[in-house]
Amino acid sequence: MSIITIGEYVKPKSPQEAYDLLMSKKNSQLIGGGTYIHLGKKHIGLAIDLSDSEMEYINETDTTIEIGAMTTFREIETNKILSKYFDNLLSRSVENIVGVQLRNMVAVGSTVFSRYNFSDFITGLRVLDVKIVLIGGGEMTLDEFIDSERNRDLLEKIIIKKEILRASFQMMRNSMADYAILNAAVSKGDKGFKIVVGARPGIAVFATNAMEYINSCNEINEETADKAGQIASEELTFGTNVLGSKEYRTHIARVLVKSAILEVV
């Protein structure tokens, strides 16, 4: 049985107040959507509920889109601003996650900050030009954050550069109510193709050899897209869990990358 006990519960009114509370006690924990907090037995000395911290928004500027950390996946899925950009990539990356009830709870900030290795959303983000804003750590690229070991801070928002590009998100699931066995995202802009594969099971990573190959091709067709998929399946590492085997993931990586490239072009 999962038993959660809480010593003190607070609802700060701003990101800075929430961060100050987080740093005030060692046994403190931020509560965003709270989707996975019930997993396991634990005692939380200070529970910091972010629901009143003014971080639920999607705002558009001349050059960027800013998404607050408490924005839910359901809002990502249905937002009209996001639907205008990147071939609706971000909506497509979350629209099949379990069910609407869960998507109404899962928050952007907790997903990104936790670097969930099964995340469809992170896979989609990584083929875009994304920065994150941390209260303690300041602004950095999403790639820098994922490669860092920062594990105690508050993610305030993500900032996506508006670009003219084509993008595709692909995934394989055992059922539409399950987590992805594997996912892949591809984008093509002024700087060429980006190819990312996630849920390996491991956090989404770039298929750098496949990117180098496809960006060197004079023509993108079924043959070259398949070759890029093959390269990606050979250069990345895959594992086995209850959703699928290493061998199966290796096989479908080739298929998903190929499909994403062909959809982009």
Side-chain angles (χ1 to χ4, degrees):
M1 179 182 294
S2 298
I3 300 176
I4 307 298
T5 59
I6 295 175
E8 185 181 358
Y9 177 85
V10 293
K11 295 180 75 174
K13 301 300 182 182
S14 71
Q16 185 64 54
E17 182 185 356
Y19 176 78
D20 291 341
L21 287 165
L22 176 67
M23 304 307 291
S24 69
K25 288 187 177 182
K26 185 176 182 180
N27 190 19
S28 59
Q29 182 171 332
L30 299 172
I31 300 176
T35 312
Y36 301 109
I37 195 172
H38 67 285
L39 299 179
K41 181 178 180 180
K42 67 176 72 175
H43 173 74
I44 301 172
L46 175 62
I48 305 164
D49 185 341
L50 299 176
S51 58
D52 288 346
S53 58
E54 300 184 347
M55 291 191 291
E56 186 174 354
Y57 56 83
I58 299 177
N59 295 328
E60 182 178 9
T61 72
D62 289 342
T63 58
T64 65
I65 299 169
E66 297 189 354
I67 304 176
M70 283 297 290
T71 304
T72 67
F73 277 8
R74 180 61 174 166
E75 182 61 26
I76 297 294
E77 179 184 0
T78 60
N79 185 263
K80 292 182 179 180
I81 294 174
L82 292 176
S83 69
K84 297 186 297 183
Y85 298 98
F86 322 124
D87 291 325
N88 210 16
L89 172 73
L90 296 181
S91 173
R92 293 176 62 188
S93 74
V94 302
E95 65 184 1
N96 292 302
I97 296 175
V98 184
V100 172
Q101 295 91 336
L102 184 74
R103 298 197 295 276
N104 273 323
M105 295 172 59
V106 177
V108 164
S110 56
T111 299
V112 174
F113 190 85
S114 300
R115 306 174 181 88
Y116 288 138
N117 61 20
F118 54 82
S119 175
D120 298 289
F121 185 62
I122 292 175
T123 300
L125 283 178
R126 292 206 81 176
V127 298
L128 305 178
D129 187 340
V130 177
K131 293 182 179 179
I132 67 167
V133 177
L134 302 169
I135 297 297
E139 186 176 301
M140 65 183 71
T141 68
L142 176 61
D143 298 336
E144 288 171 339
F145 173 73
I146 287 176
D147 291 338
S148 75
E149 297 182 357
R150 196 169 192 90
N151 56 20
R152 193 164 178 80
D153 206 328
L154 189 154
L155 193 156
E156 179 182 2
K157 62 184 175 181
I158 64 175
I159 302 172
I160 307 171
K161 181 181 177 181
K162 293 198 297 190
E163 299 178 90
I164 298 175
L165 53 74
R166 301 302 310 273
S168 172
F169 179 83
Q170 305 284 327
M171 55 79 193
M172 178 67 74
R173 282 170 157 74
N174 284 320
S175 72
M176 297 312 293
D178 209 344
Y179 291 101
I181 303 169
L182 195 77
N183 56 47
V186 171
S187 68
K188 184 179 187 300
D190 292 340
K191 297 180 180 179
F193 284 90
K194 290 182 180 179
I195 301 172
V196 171
V197 179
R200 300 171 293 110
I203 194 164
V205 293
F206 291 99
T208 53
N209 293 341
M211 288 163 54
E212 183 178 354
Y213 166 76
I214 202 70
N215 282 318
S216 71
C217 292
N218 294 324
E219 182 181 354
I220 310 301
N221 52 37
E222 188 163 350
E223 181 180 353
T224 53
D226 183 62
K227 178 65 174 178
Q230 178 186 349
I231 293 171
S233 71
E234 293 173 349
E235 71 173 295
L236 300 178
T237 57
F238 301 92
T240 298
N241 63 7
V242 294
L243 294 175
S245 68
K246 171 184 177 180
E247 292 75 19
Y248 185 53
R249 284 188 166 95
T250 303
H251 173 73
I252 63 175
R254 177 175 183 171
V255 177
L256 294 186
V257 170
K258 173 185 176 181
S259 296
I261 291 172
L262 290 177
E263 183 174 72
V264 162
V265 299

